[in-house]
Structures are given as C-alpha cells and as structure tokens.
Amino acid sequence: MPVDNDDQRERGLIVIEQPAYTGFGFSDEEWGLLVGLPQSVLSAASAAESDGTRRTMAESAAGLEAIAGGRESASPLVAAVAGEVVTRVGDPETGAELPVVAPADPQAVIDDVLARAARASALLTGKVDEGQAGAYRHWLVEIAEQVVGAASSGGILGLGGDVVSDSERRFRDRLAQVLNG
C-alpha cells in the first residue's frame, strides 16, 4: 500500500526524504565524487595556464555558468548534480562568484582531477545507462571548454595571445580522453 505523506504529516509522523542520489543508485561517497568533480574540473582547467587574477576570475565565472547551465540538461543525472553544486557554491544568476585560488602545484591539481574523472567515468559505466553517463562526461568537458576559452593567455597588457593555450588544450583533451577512454 502506498504511503500517504500528507496523512502521515497530519498524524505527526516524521517523513524522511531520501537524498536525490539514491534514486540513481549511488552511495553518499559516490555522489560526493560526482558532485565535487565539476568544480574541480573548473579549477584544474583554470590552473592549466597561469593567467593572472583578472583572467582567472573570467575563467571561474565562465566555469560556474557552465556548471549552473547543467541544471537545464535533458539528463536527470546532470541536472541533479548541477543543482547540488549550485546549492553548495552559489548561483551565478544571483551574483555568486567563486574565490580565485592559485594552487601551489597546478600539475598536482590537474593530475588529481584526471584521476578522479577516471574513477567517476568507471563508476558511471557500472551504475547508469550510457545516455546518462555520456551526458555527464560531455558536461564535464564542456565546463573545461568554457573555462579555457574564457580568457586569452599570453599577449601583452591583455592584448593578443591565444584564446586557448597549449597547456589548456592539453588539459581539456586529456580530460576528454580519460572520460571517454
């Protein structure tokens, strides 16, 4: 017999809502990996090239926009993960910004993110259908793409330079390879 939540509330019984991730079959730890990865991809993509504070801020804003845009995904998994990330870090539509962080060891950050991306990809293969897994993988690469394309690197006084540097391109391509390999 189905549970009538309104009836239980009226009778003073406590109704415990299940976390969203349980509907996808993930544990709390697995969900943490999937929810933490988009922001980590943003950080690693930004760290791939030392651009200065102004350019790094532009990259961060573009990455947060790409993450938030995932809420509109046709993939329920991507929409749920994006919604959780935005709940945790803030919505760019309401003016939220991520702090600019320059990691002491950018390569270590990149290597860590790529290792976690490989774990997440393997996890998705075993837990969700290929459509959901593919949507999540594509979304992560899109986040990296938005970040590395947000500000030119190199040049003089902000003029010239490459829109996407070799190191940024390498990170984006390695991420795609790890996720889809």
Side-chain angles (χ1 to χ4, degrees), residues 9 18 22 33 41 51 82 95 98 119 131 136 148 162 168 181:
R9 276 190 208 94
Q18 290 293 317
T22 59
L33 172 65
V41 165
D51 293 319
L98 296 174
R119 284 198 323 269
Y136 181 85
V148 302
D162 297 319
E168 291 170 328

Side-chain angles (χ1 to χ4, degrees), residues 57-136:
M57 287 175 64
E59 291 172 342
S60 181
L64 188 54
E65 286 284 339
I67 290 170
R71 295 176 295 178
E72 305 300 320
S73 174
S75 163
L77 175 62
V78 171
V81 170
E84 178 119 358
V85 174
V86 169
T87 297
R88 292 180 182 189
V89 302
D91 190 340
E93 292 178 9
T94 61
E97 295 180 1
L98 296 174
V100 174
V101 178
D105 187 351
Q107 192 57 52
V109 170
I110 290 168
D111 292 343
D112 174 65
V113 169
L114 292 172
R116 287 190 292 138
R119 284 198 323 269
S121 186
L123 170 67
L124 291 169
T125 298
K127 293 272 188 173
V128 298
D129 68 54
E130 188 50 45
Q132 294 294 328
Y136 181 85

Side-chain angles (χ1 to χ4, degrees), residues 37-49:
L37 203 48
Q39 189 176 352
S40 296
V41 165
L42 183 165
S43 297
S46 184
E49 181 73 37

Side-chain angles (χ1 to χ4, degrees), residues 132-145:
Q132 294 294 328
Y136 181 85
R137 291 176 183 120
H138 176 77
W139 179 54
L140 291 181
V141 174
E142 183 60 29
I143 292 166
E145 184 72 33

